[in-house]
Amino acid sequence: MALWIELLAAGLGGLQGALFAAGERHRRIDVLGVIVIGLTVSLGGSLLRDIVLNQPPVVVWKNWYLLVAGASAVLGMALQPAFARADWLITVLDAVVMGLFGAIAASKALSLGVGEAGALVVGVIGAIGGGMLRDVILGLPISILQVGTLYAVAAGAGAGTLILLTEFGTPTLIAGVVCVVVTTSVRLAAIRFRWTFPEQRAVRPRRPKGPRPVKTPTG
């Protein structure tokens, strides 16, 4: 992926993370904390992606990522009062950021020669890694481990679409755009229509039905 696309993803991630953190006023997060959450959402997925791929983390080795993510986090904190009642904006940004990071991660894995199944896993890690680290830092239930609106499924659907299109010779940029659209659409549709996986439960053997008791006449 081109550098400007990765910086766009970093900027939107920092903005979304800061908007989310600034909205958690009951937790009394200070200015530094909001910026840290913004950086985590923005750069966490890329960091985990590169660790899994055994690559030097680009968010550490290149200055632009930290600068763009940090500036976007500050902007998100400043704009949060204006969007205090627009929870849908944070949800949409979260879905778009997932799609962008999933596309970047999956395409990078493919460019390094990773197999299709491995690239799918890397794509999902890149898409949801920042959100997972955010939940850990804030002490929230980790989204992909709870009954919820198909968080990881949306990331996998987008990354899988990119991998499939790439296999058929589609240019990476076009496949990446489709990945973002698919991820965002699945995520928002799941929220809108409350699509979820059923909660886990043990499989219990059915008890054999015994003979019905014979009613005796009375009176």
Side-chain angles (χ1 to χ4, degrees):
M1 287 285 183
L3 177 61
W4 70 268
I5 297 177
E6 297 199 33
L7 293 180
L8 174 64
L12 290 177
L15 183 68
Q16 188 271 338
L19 284 172
F20 182 91
E24 297 284 299
R25 295 192 178 277
H26 62 284
R27 295 178 179 272
R28 303 187 65 186
I29 302 173
D30 61 16
V31 173
L32 179 59
V34 172
I35 295 174
V36 168
I37 297 301
L39 290 173
T40 300
V41 173
S42 176
L43 307 178
S46 298
L47 183 63
L48 293 176
R49 172 202 69 199
D50 289 339
I51 291 174
V52 170
L53 292 175
N54 196 28
Q55 296 291 305
V58 293
V59 299
V60 175
W61 287 90
K62 294 184 179 181
N63 293 327
W64 281 110
Y65 289 89
L66 288 169
L67 293 175
V68 170
S72 299
V74 172
L75 179 63
M77 180 175 57
L79 293 178
Q80 195 277 333
F83 297 103
R85 296 184 180 180
D87 291 339
W88 60 269
L89 177 62
I90 297 177
T91 302
V92 172
L93 275 176
D94 184 46
V96 172
V97 168
M98 281 175 54
L100 283 170
F101 280 119
I104 293 168
S107 60
K108 183 171 184 177
L110 291 174
S111 69
L112 293 172
V114 177
E116 289 79 7
L120 177 62
V121 172
V122 173
V124 173
I125 290 173
I128 68 176
M132 288 176 56
L133 293 177
R134 175 203 64 200
D135 292 343
V136 170
I137 291 175
L138 291 176
L140 298 171
I142 298 176
S143 301
I144 65 168
L145 301 181
Q146 305 293 318
V147 174
T149 47
L150 308 186
Y151 196 68
V153 172
T161 301
L162 180 144
I163 294 168
L164 183 63
L165 291 175
T166 302
E167 288 297 308
F168 284 99
T170 305
T172 303
L173 181 59
I174 296 176
V177 171
V178 176
C179 171
V180 175
V181 171
V182 170
T183 301
T184 304
S185 300
V186 173
R187 173 69 174 149
L188 296 181
I191 294 172
R192 172 64 179 82
F193 299 107
R194 298 181 180 180
W195 295 339
T196 63
F197 280 130
E199 187 174 352
Q200 62 88 19
R201 56 176 58 88
V203 178
R204 297 178 180 176
R206 303 180 69 179
R207 294 182 179 179
K209 295 181 179 179
R212 293 183 179 180
V214 178
K215 293 184 179 181
T216 57
T218 59

